[in-house]
Amino acid sequence: MKDASPQTAMTLEATGLEEVQRFVAVTALGMCRALVLGSISPAGACSRLFGPALLSRLEGMEVHPELRHAIHLATELEDVAQLAPEALSASIAEIEAKLHQVLASLSPPSSEASKWLNLTPA
């Protein structure tokens, strides 16, 4: 049984379109790095972050088209790993390039930007 007490729960939140895009891009880049290093499998990445729920949520927002495209490609990583494992590295590199492009297109965050990690008292 998982311990879901407040001491073991963590919530990350981004507010505003630019911050949501920044949050998703940075998180996805971290997941890509974990994939490259073998710390997580493509199946694990797809079930934890790169699933249809994230893509669907982004499609409902007016996010940068390259962010939508990068996440769309990321949702296919499990299939790429199974059907064409030799193409996995190139696919991850393409996703990373698109995510970097998105980050470069966003205006720098203000010093008053909300933190993504907000601790709530237990």
Side-chain angles (χ1 to χ4, degrees):
M1 181 174 177
K2 293 183 180 181
D3 181 8
S5 68
Q7 295 82 12
T8 60
M10 182 183 304
T11 301
L12 300 171
E13 178 180 35
T15 304
L17 185 59
E18 284 218 347
E19 275 305 292
V20 166
Q21 292 178 99
R22 187 175 287 108
F23 176 78
V24 170
V26 168
T27 304
L29 279 167
M31 187 65 81
C32 286
R33 182 66 13 217
L35 282 162
V36 167
L37 295 174
S39 303
I40 193 163
S41 69
C46 288
S47 72
R48 287 180 174 77
L49 180 64
F50 296 146
L54 175 59
L55 184 57
S56 176
R57 187 72 180 246
L58 292 176
E59 287 174 347
M61 299 179 195
E62 292 185 27
V63 298
H64 193 291
E66 290 300 315
L67 181 58
R68 272 196 314 270
H69 190 208
I71 299 304
H72 174 78
L73 292 173
T75 64
E76 298 174 346
L77 287 174
E78 185 176 9
D79 293 337
V80 172
Q82 290 176 353
L83 301 173
E86 68 283 356
L88 185 61
S89 293
S91 185
I92 293 170
E94 181 182 1
I95 293 164
E96 288 176 318
K98 290 183 182 309
L99 294 170
H100 283 293
Q101 180 183 355
V102 170
L103 287 172
S105 76
L106 298 174
S107 59
S110 74
S111 60
E112 285 115 35
S114 297
K115 294 180 180 183
W116 293 338
L117 173 62
N118 294 302
L119 301 176
T120 55

